[in-house]
Amino acid sequence: MIKLEKEQTDRFADRLKQETQESVMRDIAQFSEADIVDTYAGEMPDYAEIHPMVFNMERGVHIDEAIEFLKDNPSLQPFDLILANELDFGCARSGEKNTAEEVAKALGLGYAKEYLLIMLVGFIPFTLSQCYSGTLRETGQTVVPMVAGVVSVVVNLCFNTLLIFGYLGFPRLGASGAAIATVIARFVEAGVVMLWAHRNPERVPYLRGVYRSFHIPAALARAIARKSIPLLLNETLWAAGMALLAQCYSVRGYDVVSAYNICSTVSNVFNVAFMAMGNAVGILVGQLLGAGKMEEAVDTDRKLITFSVGICIVLGGLMALVAHLFPQIYNTSDSIRDLAAAFIRICALCMPINALANACYFTLRSGGKTFVTFLFDSFYVCVLTVPMAFVLSRFTGLPIVPLFLCCQLADIGKCVVGLIMIRRGVWIQNIVGKEAA
Protein backbone atom coordinates (compact mmCIF):
# COMPACT_ATOMS: atom_id res chain seq x y z
CA MET A 1 0.00 0.00 0.00
CA ILE A 2 1.09 3.54 -0.67
CA LYS A 3 1.43 5.50 2.54
CA LEU A 4 -0.13 8.93 2.44
CA GLU A 5 2.08 11.77 3.59
CA LYS A 6 0.64 14.42 5.85
CA GLU A 7 0.65 17.02 3.08
CA GLN A 8 -1.32 14.73 0.82
CA THR A 9 -3.82 14.09 3.57
CA ASP A 10 -4.36 17.80 4.11
CA ARG A 11 -4.72 18.35 0.37
CA PHE A 12 -7.38 15.66 0.05
CA ALA A 13 -9.20 17.08 3.07
CA ASP A 14 -9.29 20.52 1.41
CA ARG A 15 -10.70 19.00 -1.77
CA LEU A 16 -13.59 17.48 0.20
CA LYS A 17 -14.87 21.01 0.85
CA GLN A 18 -15.48 21.50 -2.89
CA GLU A 19 -15.78 18.01 -4.39
CA THR A 20 -17.74 14.85 -3.67
CA GLN A 21 -16.30 12.13 -1.49
CA GLU A 22 -16.33 9.68 -4.39
CA SER A 23 -14.26 11.89 -6.68
CA VAL A 24 -11.65 12.47 -3.98
CA MET A 25 -11.43 8.80 -2.98
CA ARG A 26 -10.92 7.81 -6.60
CA ASP A 27 -7.51 9.53 -6.48
CA ILE A 28 -6.42 7.82 -3.25
CA ALA A 29 -4.42 4.71 -3.97
CA GLN A 30 -5.67 2.87 -0.90
CA PHE A 31 -9.21 3.01 -2.24
CA SER A 32 -8.48 2.32 -5.90
CA GLU A 33 -5.97 -0.49 -5.47
CA ALA A 34 -5.83 -3.53 -3.23
CA ASP A 35 -3.08 -5.88 -2.20
CA ILE A 36 -3.98 -9.52 -1.56
CA VAL A 37 -1.99 -10.91 1.34
CA ASP A 38 -2.09 -14.56 2.41
CA THR A 39 -1.55 -14.59 6.15
CA TYR A 40 -1.84 -18.38 6.57
CA ALA A 41 1.37 -20.35 6.09
CA GLY A 42 1.52 -24.12 5.95
CA GLU A 43 -0.76 -26.90 4.82
CA MET A 44 -4.51 -26.51 5.13
CA PRO A 45 -6.09 -28.78 7.77
CA ASP A 46 -8.06 -31.81 6.64
CA TYR A 47 -11.24 -31.05 8.57
CA ALA A 48 -13.94 -28.78 7.18
CA GLU A 49 -13.92 -25.18 8.32
CA ILE A 50 -15.57 -21.88 7.48
CA HIS A 51 -13.54 -19.44 5.39
CA PRO A 52 -14.63 -15.87 6.19
CA MET A 53 -13.47 -12.72 4.44
CA VAL A 54 -13.78 -9.04 5.36
CA PHE A 55 -14.59 -6.76 2.43
CA ASN A 56 -15.56 -3.09 2.12
CA MET A 57 -18.37 -2.78 -0.42
CA GLU A 58 -18.03 1.02 -0.60
CA ARG A 59 -21.81 1.46 -0.35
CA GLY A 60 -22.34 -0.63 -3.48
CA VAL A 61 -21.68 2.33 -5.78
CA HIS A 62 -19.48 0.10 -7.95
CA ILE A 63 -21.24 -3.13 -7.09
CA ASP A 64 -20.73 -4.84 -10.47
CA GLU A 65 -16.98 -4.33 -10.28
CA ALA A 66 -16.92 -5.54 -6.66
CA ILE A 67 -18.83 -8.71 -7.56
CA GLU A 68 -16.55 -9.38 -10.54
CA PHE A 69 -13.50 -8.88 -8.32
CA LEU A 70 -14.79 -11.30 -5.69
CA LYS A 71 -15.79 -13.95 -8.23
CA ASP A 72 -12.74 -13.91 -10.47
CA ASN A 73 -9.81 -13.28 -8.11
CA PRO A 74 -8.24 -16.70 -7.34
CA SER A 75 -6.33 -15.31 -4.37
CA LEU A 76 -9.61 -14.88 -2.50
CA GLN A 77 -10.91 -18.41 -3.00
CA PRO A 78 -12.42 -20.22 -1.30
CA PHE A 79 -14.62 -18.12 0.98
CA ASP A 80 -17.86 -19.18 2.65
CA LEU A 81 -18.72 -15.99 4.49
CA ILE A 82 -18.28 -12.31 3.65
CA LEU A 83 -18.14 -9.88 6.57
CA ALA A 84 -19.09 -6.88 4.46
CA ASN A 85 -19.38 -3.27 5.56
CA GLU A 86 -20.81 -0.18 3.88
CA LEU A 87 -23.79 -1.87 2.24
CA ASP A 88 -26.82 0.14 1.12
CA PHE A 89 -30.50 -0.65 1.12
CA GLY A 90 -32.83 1.65 -0.80
CA CYS A 91 -30.36 4.57 -0.98
CA ALA A 92 -30.34 6.93 -3.96
CA ARG A 93 -26.53 6.96 -4.15
CA SER A 94 -26.49 3.25 -4.99
CA GLY A 95 -29.54 3.21 -7.25
CA GLU A 96 -31.94 2.27 -4.41
CA LYS A 97 -30.69 -1.30 -4.54
CA ASN A 98 -30.42 -3.90 -1.82
CA THR A 99 -26.70 -4.31 -2.35
CA ALA A 100 -26.33 -7.12 0.20
CA GLU A 101 -28.95 -9.20 -1.58
CA GLU A 102 -27.41 -8.59 -5.00
CA VAL A 103 -23.95 -9.63 -3.82
CA ALA A 104 -25.36 -12.74 -2.13
CA LYS A 105 -27.25 -13.77 -5.28
CA ALA A 106 -24.26 -13.23 -7.56
CA LEU A 107 -21.89 -15.20 -5.31
CA GLY A 108 -24.32 -17.93 -4.31
CA LEU A 109 -24.21 -16.97 -0.64
CA GLY A 110 -27.90 -16.35 -0.01
CA TYR A 111 -28.14 -19.30 2.38
CA ALA A 112 -30.14 -17.61 5.11
CA LYS A 113 -32.83 -16.22 2.82
CA GLU A 114 -33.20 -19.49 0.93
CA TYR A 115 -33.42 -21.38 4.21
CA LEU A 116 -36.11 -19.09 5.64
CA LEU A 117 -38.21 -19.12 2.44
CA ILE A 118 -38.29 -22.92 2.49
CA MET A 119 -39.04 -22.98 6.22
CA LEU A 120 -42.14 -20.85 5.63
CA VAL A 121 -43.80 -23.89 4.06
CA GLY A 122 -43.27 -25.77 7.30
CA PHE A 123 -45.46 -23.38 9.28
CA ILE A 124 -48.60 -25.09 7.94
CA PRO A 125 -47.86 -28.59 9.31
CA PHE A 126 -46.22 -27.08 12.40
CA THR A 127 -49.41 -25.20 13.25
CA LEU A 128 -51.54 -28.31 12.77
CA SER A 129 -49.24 -30.52 14.83
CA GLN A 130 -49.13 -27.97 17.66
CA CYS A 131 -52.92 -27.73 17.76
CA TYR A 132 -53.44 -31.48 17.71
CA SER A 133 -50.56 -32.30 20.08
CA GLY A 134 -51.50 -29.58 22.55
CA THR A 135 -55.12 -30.72 22.63
CA LEU A 136 -54.17 -34.36 23.05
CA ARG A 137 -51.76 -33.59 25.90
CA GLU A 138 -54.34 -31.48 27.72
CA THR A 139 -56.88 -34.33 27.51
CA GLY A 140 -54.44 -36.90 28.88
CA GLN A 141 -53.11 -38.40 25.60
CA THR A 142 -49.42 -37.62 26.06
CA VAL A 143 -47.86 -40.68 24.38
CA VAL A 144 -48.99 -39.97 20.80
CA PRO A 145 -47.42 -36.47 20.62
CA MET A 146 -44.23 -37.93 22.10
CA VAL A 147 -44.09 -40.68 19.47
CA ALA A 148 -44.78 -38.14 16.72
CA GLY A 149 -41.96 -35.96 18.02
CA VAL A 150 -39.49 -38.86 18.09
CA VAL A 151 -40.44 -39.93 14.56
CA SER A 152 -40.03 -36.32 13.41
CA VAL A 153 -36.52 -36.10 14.90
CA VAL A 154 -35.46 -39.35 13.21
CA VAL A 155 -36.86 -38.25 9.83
CA ASN A 156 -35.18 -34.85 10.18
CA LEU A 157 -31.84 -36.44 11.04
CA CYS A 158 -31.99 -38.87 8.10
CA PHE A 159 -32.98 -36.30 5.50
CA ASN A 160 -30.46 -33.79 6.88
CA THR A 161 -27.73 -36.31 6.15
CA LEU A 162 -29.09 -37.13 2.69
CA LEU A 163 -29.93 -33.62 1.47
CA ILE A 164 -27.12 -31.58 3.01
CA PHE A 165 -24.31 -33.87 1.85
CA GLY A 166 -25.99 -35.57 -1.13
CA TYR A 167 -25.67 -39.21 -0.02
CA LEU A 168 -27.40 -42.19 -1.69
CA GLY A 169 -28.03 -40.33 -4.93
CA PHE A 170 -29.83 -37.37 -3.34
CA PRO A 171 -28.87 -33.86 -4.50
CA ARG A 172 -26.32 -31.99 -2.38
CA LEU A 173 -28.32 -28.93 -1.32
CA GLY A 174 -26.44 -27.64 1.72
CA ALA A 175 -28.45 -25.18 3.81
CA SER A 176 -31.49 -25.54 1.55
CA GLY A 177 -31.35 -29.29 2.15
CA ALA A 178 -31.45 -28.72 5.90
CA ALA A 179 -34.56 -26.59 5.51
CA ILE A 180 -36.26 -29.15 3.26
CA ALA A 181 -35.47 -31.90 5.77
CA THR A 182 -37.05 -29.87 8.57
CA VAL A 183 -40.18 -29.21 6.51
CA ILE A 184 -40.50 -32.92 5.65
CA ALA A 185 -40.13 -33.80 9.34
CA ARG A 186 -42.87 -31.35 10.28
CA PHE A 187 -45.26 -32.83 7.72
CA VAL A 188 -44.49 -36.30 9.10
CA GLU A 189 -45.08 -35.17 12.69
CA ALA A 190 -48.41 -33.57 11.78
CA GLY A 191 -49.38 -36.65 9.76
CA VAL A 192 -48.68 -39.05 12.64
CA VAL A 193 -50.72 -37.06 15.16
CA MET A 194 -53.61 -36.30 12.82
CA LEU A 195 -53.81 -39.87 11.49
CA TRP A 196 -53.96 -41.32 15.01
CA ALA A 197 -56.53 -38.77 16.17
CA HIS A 198 -58.94 -39.32 13.28
CA ARG A 199 -58.55 -43.11 13.34
CA ASN A 200 -59.46 -43.26 17.05
CA PRO A 201 -62.66 -41.20 17.31
CA GLU A 202 -63.80 -43.14 20.37
CA ARG A 203 -60.77 -41.83 22.31
CA VAL A 204 -61.02 -38.27 20.98
CA PRO A 205 -64.75 -37.78 20.34
CA TYR A 206 -64.40 -34.01 20.30
CA LEU A 207 -62.68 -34.26 16.89
CA ARG A 208 -65.73 -35.71 15.15
CA GLY A 209 -66.77 -33.27 12.43
CA VAL A 210 -63.98 -30.88 13.38
CA TYR A 211 -63.65 -29.62 9.78
CA ARG A 212 -67.39 -29.52 9.09
CA SER A 213 -67.55 -25.81 9.84
CA PHE A 214 -65.01 -23.11 10.59
CA HIS A 215 -67.57 -20.78 12.19
CA ILE A 216 -66.58 -19.53 15.63
CA PRO A 217 -69.27 -17.84 17.75
CA ALA A 218 -68.41 -14.25 18.59
CA ALA A 219 -68.66 -14.85 22.33
CA LEU A 220 -66.23 -17.78 22.11
CA ALA A 221 -63.84 -15.76 19.94
CA ARG A 222 -63.81 -12.98 22.52
CA ALA A 223 -63.20 -15.44 25.34
CA ILE A 224 -60.31 -17.03 23.43
CA ALA A 225 -58.81 -13.62 22.70
CA ARG A 226 -59.02 -12.56 26.35
CA LYS A 227 -57.09 -15.64 27.44
CA SER A 228 -54.66 -16.01 24.54
CA ILE A 229 -53.50 -12.44 23.92
CA PRO A 230 -51.76 -12.14 27.33
CA LEU A 231 -50.07 -15.50 26.65
CA LEU A 232 -48.91 -14.31 23.24
CA LEU A 233 -47.54 -11.09 24.69
CA ASN A 234 -45.91 -13.01 27.51
CA GLU A 235 -44.01 -15.38 25.21
CA THR A 236 -42.94 -12.51 22.94
CA LEU A 237 -41.71 -10.28 25.75
CA TRP A 238 -40.07 -13.16 27.59
CA ALA A 239 -38.06 -14.06 24.48
CA ALA A 240 -37.13 -10.39 24.05
CA GLY A 241 -36.11 -10.23 27.70
CA MET A 242 -33.83 -13.25 27.31
CA ALA A 243 -32.21 -11.65 24.26
CA LEU A 244 -31.64 -8.40 26.16
CA LEU A 245 -30.21 -10.32 29.08
CA ALA A 246 -27.73 -12.04 26.77
CA GLN A 247 -26.80 -8.67 25.30
CA CYS A 248 -26.07 -7.31 28.78
CA TYR A 249 -23.73 -10.22 29.43
CA SER A 250 -22.06 -9.73 26.04
CA VAL A 251 -20.68 -6.29 26.90
CA ARG A 252 -18.18 -8.08 29.15
CA GLY A 253 -16.36 -9.56 26.13
CA TYR A 254 -16.37 -12.28 23.53
CA ASP A 255 -15.32 -14.93 26.03
CA VAL A 256 -18.53 -14.29 27.95
CA VAL A 257 -20.62 -14.69 24.78
CA SER A 258 -19.01 -18.03 23.97
CA ALA A 259 -19.25 -19.29 27.55
CA TYR A 260 -22.88 -18.21 27.83
CA ASN A 261 -23.75 -20.06 24.60
CA ILE A 262 -22.15 -23.26 25.94
CA CYS A 263 -23.98 -22.84 29.24
CA SER A 264 -27.32 -22.26 27.52
CA THR A 265 -26.94 -25.40 25.43
CA VAL A 266 -26.12 -27.57 28.43
CA SER A 267 -28.76 -25.98 30.67
CA ASN A 268 -31.49 -26.51 28.09
CA VAL A 269 -30.83 -30.25 28.22
CA PHE A 270 -31.29 -30.38 32.00
CA ASN A 271 -34.12 -27.83 32.03
CA VAL A 272 -36.30 -30.29 30.14
CA ALA A 273 -37.08 -31.85 33.52
CA PHE A 274 -38.80 -28.87 35.12
CA MET A 275 -40.33 -27.74 31.81
CA ALA A 276 -41.98 -31.14 31.46
CA MET A 277 -43.18 -30.99 35.06
CA GLY A 278 -44.62 -27.55 34.38
CA ASN A 279 -46.63 -28.95 31.49
CA ALA A 280 -47.75 -31.80 33.75
CA VAL A 281 -48.99 -29.24 36.29
CA GLY A 282 -50.95 -27.41 33.61
CA ILE A 283 -52.52 -30.60 32.25
CA LEU A 284 -53.35 -32.48 35.46
CA VAL A 285 -54.43 -29.51 37.55
CA GLY A 286 -56.34 -28.00 34.62
CA GLN A 287 -58.29 -31.23 34.15
CA LEU A 288 -59.23 -31.36 37.83
CA LEU A 289 -60.32 -27.72 37.82
CA GLY A 290 -62.40 -28.32 34.70
CA ALA A 291 -64.07 -31.28 36.42
CA GLY A 292 -64.91 -29.10 39.42
CA LYS A 293 -62.63 -31.07 41.78
CA MET A 294 -61.14 -28.05 43.48
CA GLU A 295 -59.78 -29.67 46.63
CA GLU A 296 -58.17 -32.48 44.65
CA ALA A 297 -56.66 -29.89 42.29
CA VAL A 298 -55.07 -28.06 45.21
CA ASP A 299 -53.67 -31.28 46.66
CA THR A 300 -52.35 -32.48 43.28
CA ASP A 301 -50.77 -29.12 42.57
CA ARG A 302 -48.96 -29.12 45.91
CA LYS A 303 -47.57 -32.61 45.28
CA LEU A 304 -46.50 -31.82 41.71
CA ILE A 305 -44.69 -28.66 42.76
CA THR A 306 -42.86 -30.54 45.53
CA PHE A 307 -41.96 -33.36 43.14
CA SER A 308 -40.69 -30.91 40.50
CA VAL A 309 -38.47 -29.07 42.96
CA GLY A 310 -37.18 -32.38 44.40
CA ILE A 311 -36.23 -33.72 40.98
CA CYS A 312 -34.39 -30.51 40.14
CA ILE A 313 -32.44 -30.60 43.41
CA VAL A 314 -31.10 -34.01 42.37
CA LEU A 315 -30.52 -33.03 38.72
CA GLY A 316 -28.98 -29.73 39.77
CA GLY A 317 -26.51 -31.55 42.00
CA LEU A 318 -25.61 -33.92 39.16
CA MET A 319 -25.25 -31.02 36.74
CA ALA A 320 -22.92 -29.20 39.14
CA LEU A 321 -20.74 -32.30 39.57
CA VAL A 322 -20.20 -32.74 35.81
CA ALA A 323 -20.17 -29.03 34.94
CA HIS A 324 -16.47 -29.09 34.10
CA LEU A 325 -16.90 -31.94 31.59
CA PHE A 326 -19.34 -30.38 29.13
CA PRO A 327 -17.16 -27.45 28.01
CA GLN A 328 -14.35 -29.90 27.19
CA ILE A 329 -16.20 -31.13 24.09
CA TYR A 330 -16.03 -27.64 22.57
CA ASN A 331 -13.08 -26.52 20.48
CA THR A 332 -12.35 -23.33 22.38
CA SER A 333 -9.86 -21.79 24.79
CA ASP A 334 -9.33 -22.88 28.39
CA SER A 335 -10.52 -19.51 29.71
CA ILE A 336 -13.87 -19.92 27.92
CA ARG A 337 -14.19 -23.50 29.19
CA ASP A 338 -13.58 -22.38 32.78
CA LEU A 339 -16.09 -19.54 32.45
CA ALA A 340 -18.69 -21.83 30.90
CA ALA A 341 -18.22 -24.33 33.74
CA ALA A 342 -18.82 -21.55 36.28
CA PHE A 343 -22.00 -20.50 34.48
CA ILE A 344 -23.21 -24.12 34.37
CA ARG A 345 -22.65 -24.50 38.13
CA ILE A 346 -24.69 -21.36 38.77
CA CYS A 347 -27.52 -22.67 36.59
CA ALA A 348 -27.35 -25.96 38.49
CA LEU A 349 -27.63 -24.08 41.79
CA CYS A 350 -30.64 -22.15 40.52
CA MET A 351 -32.43 -25.11 38.92
CA PRO A 352 -34.73 -25.77 41.94
CA ILE A 353 -35.60 -22.05 41.95
CA ASN A 354 -36.47 -22.18 38.26
CA ALA A 355 -38.51 -25.34 38.82
CA LEU A 356 -40.55 -23.66 41.55
CA ALA A 357 -41.13 -20.53 39.46
CA ASN A 358 -42.13 -22.61 36.43
CA ALA A 359 -44.57 -24.75 38.43
CA CYS A 360 -46.14 -21.62 39.93
CA TYR A 361 -46.51 -20.16 36.44
CA PHE A 362 -48.36 -23.21 35.09
CA THR A 363 -50.52 -23.42 38.20
CA LEU A 364 -51.75 -19.88 37.68
CA ARG A 365 -52.23 -20.52 33.96
CA SER A 366 -54.26 -23.69 34.58
CA GLY A 367 -56.83 -21.54 36.35
CA GLY A 368 -57.09 -19.13 33.43
CA LYS A 369 -55.13 -16.31 35.08
CA THR A 370 -53.29 -15.46 31.88
CA PHE A 371 -52.90 -11.75 32.61
CA VAL A 372 -51.51 -12.57 36.04
CA THR A 373 -49.01 -14.98 34.46
CA PHE A 374 -48.03 -12.22 32.03
CA LEU A 375 -47.15 -9.97 34.97
CA PHE A 376 -45.57 -12.86 36.82
CA ASP A 377 -43.32 -14.02 33.97
CA SER A 378 -42.28 -11.64 31.18
CA PHE A 379 -43.16 -8.41 32.99
CA TYR A 380 -40.97 -9.47 35.91
CA VAL A 381 -38.05 -10.26 33.59
CA CYS A 382 -38.31 -7.03 31.60
CA VAL A 383 -38.90 -4.75 34.59
CA LEU A 384 -36.56 -6.27 37.16
CA THR A 385 -34.05 -8.80 35.80
CA VAL A 386 -33.04 -7.03 32.58
CA PRO A 387 -32.62 -3.54 34.16
CA MET A 388 -30.57 -5.10 36.96
CA ALA A 389 -28.31 -6.82 34.43
CA PHE A 390 -28.05 -3.59 32.43
CA VAL A 391 -26.93 -1.55 35.44
CA LEU A 392 -24.54 -4.18 36.82
CA SER A 393 -22.89 -4.85 33.45
CA ARG A 394 -22.40 -1.22 32.43
CA PHE A 395 -22.07 0.84 35.59
CA THR A 396 -20.25 -1.46 38.00
CA GLY A 397 -16.98 -3.36 37.99
CA LEU A 398 -18.64 -6.52 39.27
CA PRO A 399 -16.98 -9.59 37.66
CA ILE A 400 -19.13 -11.52 35.23
CA VAL A 401 -19.53 -14.65 37.37
CA PRO A 402 -21.11 -12.92 40.42
CA LEU A 403 -23.03 -10.69 38.00
CA PHE A 404 -24.49 -13.78 36.32
CA LEU A 405 -25.30 -15.25 39.73
CA CYS A 406 -27.18 -12.10 40.80
CA CYS A 407 -29.30 -12.15 37.63
CA GLN A 408 -30.12 -15.84 38.04
CA LEU A 409 -31.06 -15.42 41.71
CA ALA A 410 -33.49 -12.65 40.76
CA ASP A 411 -36.09 -15.37 40.17
CA ILE A 412 -36.33 -15.89 43.94
CA GLY A 413 -38.64 -12.90 44.02
CA LYS A 414 -40.78 -14.52 41.35
CA CYS A 415 -41.05 -17.66 43.48
CA VAL A 416 -42.16 -15.66 46.51
CA VAL A 417 -44.85 -13.85 44.53
CA GLY A 418 -46.00 -17.09 42.91
CA LEU A 419 -46.32 -18.96 46.21
CA ILE A 420 -48.30 -16.09 47.75
CA MET A 421 -50.78 -16.08 44.86
CA ILE A 422 -51.11 -19.88 44.94
CA ARG A 423 -51.67 -19.87 48.70
CA ARG A 424 -54.40 -17.25 48.31
CA GLY A 425 -56.14 -19.49 45.78
CA VAL A 426 -56.58 -16.88 43.08
CA TRP A 427 -56.13 -19.63 40.47
CA ILE A 428 -58.84 -21.98 41.77
CA GLN A 429 -61.65 -21.59 39.24
CA ASN A 430 -63.37 -23.58 36.50
CA ILE A 431 -62.85 -21.58 33.32
CA VAL A 432 -64.91 -24.01 31.20
CA GLY A 433 -68.02 -23.90 33.37
CA LYS A 434 -71.09 -21.84 32.66
CA GLU A 435 -70.33 -19.36 35.41
CA ALA A 436 -66.85 -18.67 34.09
CA ALA A 437 -68.22 -18.30 30.54
Side-chain angles (χ1 to χ4, degrees), residues 19-49:
E19 303 177 39
T20 64
Q21 179 183 357
E22 182 180 353
S23 64
V24 175
M25 292 178 68
R26 194 180 295 119
D27 295 333
I28 301 177
Q30 281 90 335
F31 295 98
S32 60
E33 302 174 4
D35 290 341
I36 308 301
V37 179
D38 293 326
T39 57
Y40 180 81
E43 296 182 2
M44 295 298 291
D46 294 332
Y47 55 83
E49 60 182 22

Coordinates of all heavy atoms in Angstrom, one line a residue, residues 19-49:
E19 N -15.4 19.1 -3.5 CA -15.8 18.0 -4.4 C -16.5 16.9 -3.6 O -16.6 17.0 -2.4 CB -14.5 17.4 -5.0 CG -13.7 18.4 -5.8 CD -12.4 17.7 -6.3 OE1 -12.5 16.6 -6.7 OE2 -11.3 18.4 -6.2
T20 N -17.1 16.0 -4.3 CA -17.7 14.9 -3.7 C -16.7 13.9 -3.1 O -15.6 13.8 -3.5 CB -18.6 14.1 -4.7 OG1 -17.8 13.5 -5.7 CG2 -19.6 15.0 -5.3
Q21 N -17.2 13.1 -2.1 CA -16.3 12.1 -1.5 C -15.8 11.1 -2.5 O -14.7 10.7 -2.5 CB -17.0 11.4 -0.3 CG -16.2 10.4 0.4 CD -17.0 9.6 1.4 OE1 -18.1 9.9 1.7 NE2 -16.4 8.7 2.1
E22 N -16.7 10.7 -3.4 CA -16.3 9.7 -4.4 C -15.2 10.1 -5.3 O -14.3 9.4 -5.6 CB -17.6 9.3 -5.2 CG -17.3 8.2 -6.2 CD -18.5 7.8 -7.0 OE1 -19.6 8.4 -6.7 OE2 -18.4 7.1 -8.0
S23 N -15.3 11.4 -5.8 CA -14.3 11.9 -6.7 C -12.9 12.0 -6.0 O -11.9 11.8 -6.6 CB -14.7 13.2 -7.3 OG -14.8 14.2 -6.2
V24 N -12.9 12.4 -4.7 CA -11.6 12.5 -4.0 C -11.1 11.1 -3.7 O -9.9 10.8 -3.9 CB -11.9 13.2 -2.6 CG1 -10.6 13.2 -1.8 CG2 -12.3 14.7 -2.9
M25 N -11.9 10.1 -3.3 CA -11.4 8.8 -3.0 C -10.9 8.1 -4.2 O -10.0 7.2 -4.1 CB -12.6 8.0 -2.3 CG -12.9 8.5 -0.9 SD -14.3 7.6 -0.2 CE -13.5 6.0 0.1
R26 N -11.4 8.4 -5.4 CA -10.9 7.8 -6.6 C -9.4 8.1 -6.8 O -8.7 7.3 -7.5 CB -11.8 8.3 -7.8 CG -11.6 7.5 -9.0 CD -12.4 8.0 -10.2 NE -13.8 7.9 -9.9 CZ -14.7 8.9 -9.8 NH1 -14.2 10.1 -10.0 NH2 -15.9 8.7 -9.6
D27 N -8.9 9.2 -6.3 CA -7.5 9.5 -6.5 C -6.6 9.0 -5.3 O -5.4 9.3 -5.3 CB -7.4 11.1 -6.6 CG -8.1 11.6 -7.9 OD1 -8.2 10.8 -8.8 OD2 -8.5 12.7 -7.9
I28 N -7.2 8.3 -4.4 CA -6.4 7.8 -3.2 C -6.1 6.4 -3.5 O -7.0 5.5 -3.7 CB -7.2 8.0 -1.9 CG1 -7.5 9.4 -1.6 CG2 -6.4 7.4 -0.8 CD1 -8.3 9.7 -0.4
A29 N -4.8 6.0 -3.6 CA -4.4 4.7 -4.0 C -5.0 3.6 -3.1 O -5.4 2.5 -3.6 CB -2.9 4.6 -4.0
Q30 N -5.2 3.9 -1.8 CA -5.7 2.9 -0.9 C -7.1 2.4 -1.3 O -7.5 1.3 -0.9 CB -5.7 3.4 0.6 CG -4.3 3.3 1.2 CD -3.5 4.6 1.0 OE1 -3.8 5.3 0.0 NE2 -2.6 4.9 1.9
F31 N -7.8 3.3 -1.9 CA -9.2 3.0 -2.2 C -9.4 2.6 -3.7 O -10.5 2.2 -4.1 CB -10.1 4.2 -1.9 CG -10.2 4.5 -0.5 CD1 -9.4 5.5 0.1 CD2 -11.0 3.8 0.4 CE1 -9.4 5.8 1.4 CE2 -11.0 4.1 1.7 CZ -10.3 5.1 2.3
S32 N -8.4 2.7 -4.5 CA -8.5 2.3 -5.9 C -7.6 1.1 -6.2 O -7.8 0.5 -7.3 CB -8.0 3.5 -6.8 OG -6.7 3.8 -6.5
E33 N -6.8 0.7 -5.3 CA -6.0 -0.5 -5.5 C -6.1 -1.4 -4.2 O -6.5 -0.9 -3.2 CB -4.5 -0.1 -5.7 CG -4.2 0.8 -6.9 CD -2.8 1.3 -6.9 OE1 -2.0 0.8 -6.1 OE2 -2.5 2.1 -7.8
A34 N -5.8 -2.6 -4.4 CA -5.8 -3.5 -3.2 C -4.7 -4.5 -3.3 O -4.4 -5.0 -4.4 CB -7.2 -4.2 -3.2
D35 N -4.1 -4.8 -2.2 CA -3.1 -5.9 -2.2 C -3.7 -7.1 -1.5 O -4.4 -7.0 -0.5 CB -1.9 -5.4 -1.4 CG -1.1 -4.4 -2.1 OD1 -1.3 -4.2 -3.3 OD2 -0.3 -3.6 -1.4
I36 N -3.5 -8.3 -2.1 CA -4.0 -9.5 -1.6 C -2.8 -10.2 -0.8 O -1.8 -10.5 -1.3 CB -4.5 -10.5 -2.7 CG1 -5.5 -9.7 -3.6 CG2 -5.1 -11.7 -2.0 CD1 -6.7 -9.2 -2.8
V37 N -3.0 -10.4 0.5 CA -2.0 -10.9 1.3 C -2.5 -12.2 2.0 O -3.5 -12.2 2.6 CB -1.6 -9.9 2.5 CG1 -0.5 -10.5 3.3 CG2 -1.2 -8.6 1.8
D38 N -1.8 -13.3 1.8 CA -2.1 -14.6 2.4 C -1.4 -14.6 3.8 O -0.1 -14.6 3.8 CB -1.6 -15.7 1.5 CG -2.4 -15.8 0.2 OD1 -3.6 -15.5 0.3 OD2 -1.9 -16.2 -0.8
T39 N -2.2 -14.6 4.8 CA -1.6 -14.6 6.2 C -1.4 -16.0 6.7 O -0.8 -16.2 7.8 CB -2.4 -13.8 7.1 OG1 -3.7 -14.3 7.1 CG2 -2.5 -12.3 6.6
Y40 N -1.9 -17.0 6.0 CA -1.8 -18.4 6.6 C -0.7 -19.1 5.9 O -0.6 -19.2 4.7 CB -3.1 -19.1 6.3 CG -3.1 -20.6 6.9 CD1 -3.3 -20.8 8.2 CD2 -2.8 -21.6 6.0 CE1 -3.3 -22.1 8.7 CE2 -2.8 -22.9 6.5 CZ -3.0 -23.1 7.9 OH -2.9 -24.4 8.3
A41 N 0.2 -19.6 6.6 CA 1.4 -20.3 6.1 C 1.3 -21.8 6.5 O 1.0 -22.1 7.7 CB 2.7 -19.7 6.5
G42 N 1.6 -22.7 5.6 CA 1.5 -24.1 6.0 C 0.4 -24.8 5.3 O -0.4 -24.2 4.5
E43 N 0.3 -26.1 5.5 CA -0.8 -26.9 4.8 C -2.1 -26.6 5.5 O -2.2 -26.4 6.7 CB -0.4 -28.4 4.9 CG 0.9 -28.8 4.2 CD 1.1 -30.2 4.3 OE1 0.3 -31.0 4.9 OE2 2.2 -30.7 3.8
M44 N -3.2 -26.7 4.6 CA -4.5 -26.5 5.1 C -4.9 -27.8 5.9 O -4.6 -28.9 5.5 CB -5.5 -26.3 4.0 CG -5.2 -25.0 3.2 SD -5.4 -23.5 4.3 CE -7.2 -23.6 4.6
P45 N -5.7 -27.6 7.0 CA -6.1 -28.8 7.8 C -7.1 -29.6 7.0 O -7.7 -29.1 6.1 CB -6.8 -28.2 9.0 CG -7.1 -26.8 8.6 CD -6.1 -26.4 7.6
D46 N -7.2 -30.9 7.4 CA -8.1 -31.8 6.6 C -9.5 -31.6 7.0 O -10.4 -31.9 6.2 CB -7.7 -33.3 7.0 CG -6.3 -33.6 6.5 OD1 -5.9 -33.0 5.4 OD2 -5.6 -34.5 7.0
Y47 N -9.8 -31.2 8.2 CA -11.2 -31.0 8.6 C -11.9 -29.8 7.9 O -11.2 -28.9 7.6 CB -11.4 -31.0 10.1 CG -10.6 -29.9 10.8 CD1 -11.1 -28.6 10.8 CD2 -9.3 -30.2 11.3 CE1 -10.3 -27.6 11.5 CE2 -8.6 -29.2 12.0 CZ -9.1 -27.9 12.0 OH -8.4 -26.9 12.6
A48 N -13.2 -29.9 7.8 CA -13.9 -28.8 7.2 C -14.0 -27.6 8.1 O -14.0 -27.7 9.3 CB -15.4 -29.2 6.9
E49 N -13.9 -26.4 7.5 CA -13.9 -25.2 8.3 C -14.6 -24.1 7.5 O -14.7 -24.2 6.3 CB -12.5 -24.8 8.8 CG -11.6 -24.5 7.6 CD -10.2 -24.1 8.1 OE1 -9.8 -24.5 9.2 OE2 -9.5 -23.5 7.3

